[in-house]
Amino acid sequence: VEHVSIAIDGPAGAGKSTVARIVAKRLGLLYVDTGAMYRSVAWLAVRFGVRPSDELGLTRLLDEYLLGFERDPALGTLVVRFQNQDITPELRSPEVSGIVSQLSVHPLVRERLTSIQRSLRRDTGVVMDGRDIGTVVMPDADVKVFLTASLDERARRRAEEITAAQGREVSEVSIRKSMAERDARDSSRDVAPLRPAADAYILDSTGKSIDEVVDEILRLVRESV
Ligand code: C5P
């Protein structure tokens, strides 16, 4: 399975990054989390007080502060650095999650990040997850998966994840609300909206375990290469 490229798209909290990371590890491919890139722009916006509606201000930030996207060899995930500081843990904060879909509508922001994403697609092969990977970033990917789950299940999983990671209880209701808002904004934008590619395999993970979803994707890869 050398040089194989796998695109995994879908709404928030469908389990894309968990599944993509495992698939990449099993197949020895690079894993690229494109959501982390959009989140790092949101992080910069918060840090420097640039409004999410200010497209030019945001692109100026991106040009001025070169963010480092590196692969953590142990975890296999993307580490984002800002001036030698690892900001990865801060990318999942409610503050960042709350504005990221507002700034990902901007064509100039998407243009810059899309070109970084394409450059990460090396000769080693890649598993990339996001919203527009199968439609825009890698329209020629060997395998395209559109991973979904019911909104209730996605909110429940995300709440469990936050509780496990931070040891604090979070309101599932507020998570569900912000997820639904984000999905609506991601699906309705003009540029690169969230939608399955015409040739994507729709995988509904509601009621399925991580292992079952991973196995289903590995089967698709075997069938297609
Ligand atoms: O995948 P994650 O939930 O971390 O993505 C955060 C946000 O980044 C999404 O809600 C979306 O607004 C944006 N995004 C995007 N295109 C991608 C990946 C993420 O617009 N390929």
Side-chain angles (χ1 to χ4, degrees):
V1 294
E2 264 172 76
H3 310 308
V4 71
S5 51
I6 304 172
I8 303 182
D9 290 303
K16 298 185 299 293
S17 60
T18 304
V19 164
R21 190 178 333 132
I22 299 172
V23 169
K25 198 162 193 178
R26 292 266 193 93
L27 300 176
L29 304 172
L30 175 72
Y31 166 53
V32 177
D33 169 5
T34 66
M37 297 185 185
Y38 287 91
R39 287 172 180 276
S40 63
V41 181
W43 185 90
L44 281 177
V46 173
R47 170 79 150 71
F48 292 98
V50 173
R51 277 176 298 114
S53 58
D54 181 1
E55 180 169 20
L56 283 181
L58 293 168
T59 54
R60 233 175 276 130
L61 277 184
L62 267 179
D63 291 340
E64 193 162 340
Y65 300 101
L66 198 63
L67 291 162
F69 300 109
E70 292 158 35
R71 183 172 174 272
D72 182 314
L75 299 170
T77 50
L78 214 61
V79 173
V80 184
R81 281 182 208 289
F82 171 73
Q83 297 178 337
N84 279 331
Q85 175 199 353
D86 179 0
I87 61 166
T88 322
E90 293 168 41
L91 300 180
R92 304 241 144 234
S93 74
E95 209 177 8
V96 165
S97 300
I99 63 164
V100 62
S101 65
Q102 295 171 41
L103 54 83
S104 63
V105 303
H106 300 309
L108 292 176
V109 171
R110 303 202 67 84
E111 218 168 76
R112 278 169 173 72
L113 296 186
T114 299
S115 92
I116 296 174
Q117 288 154 16
R118 288 189 179 136
S119 74
L120 287 171
R121 187 181 175 181
R122 312 184 188 139
D123 27 339
T124 48
V126 70
V127 181
M128 213 178 277
D129 78 351
R131 302 293 185 288
D132 61 341
I133 309 306
T135 51
V136 174
V137 180
M138 308 198 295
D140 58 336
D142 300 296
V143 176
K144 297 180 186 177
V145 176
F146 193 82
L147 188 61
T148 61
S150 70
L151 179 60
D152 278 350
E153 177 139 340
R154 291 187 284 120
R156 189 176 51 70
R157 286 181 193 162
R158 182 56 58 84
E160 280 174 8
E161 206 176 273
I162 294 173
T163 305
Q166 306 174 5
R168 65 186 172 97
E169 286 295 324
V170 285
S171 147
E172 212 176 295
V173 176
S174 76
I175 290 181
R176 189 189 298 119
K177 184 164 173 282
S178 81
M179 261 185 180
E181 279 169 11
R182 197 142 62 85
D183 291 343
R185 227 178 272 127
D186 289 341
S187 306
S188 63
R189 69 180 173 227
D190 292 331
V191 184
L194 168 66
R195 64 175 169 81
D199 52 350
Y201 178 85
I202 313 285
L203 205 171
D204 187 338
S205 70
T206 310
K208 286 184 183 161
S209 70
I210 293 169
D211 283 346
E212 285 173 311
V213 175
V214 167
D215 286 345
E216 212 165 322
I217 296 175
L218 291 175
R219 182 177 54 77
L220 288 175
V221 174
R222 275 195 305 272
E223 284 168 0
S224 75
V225 295

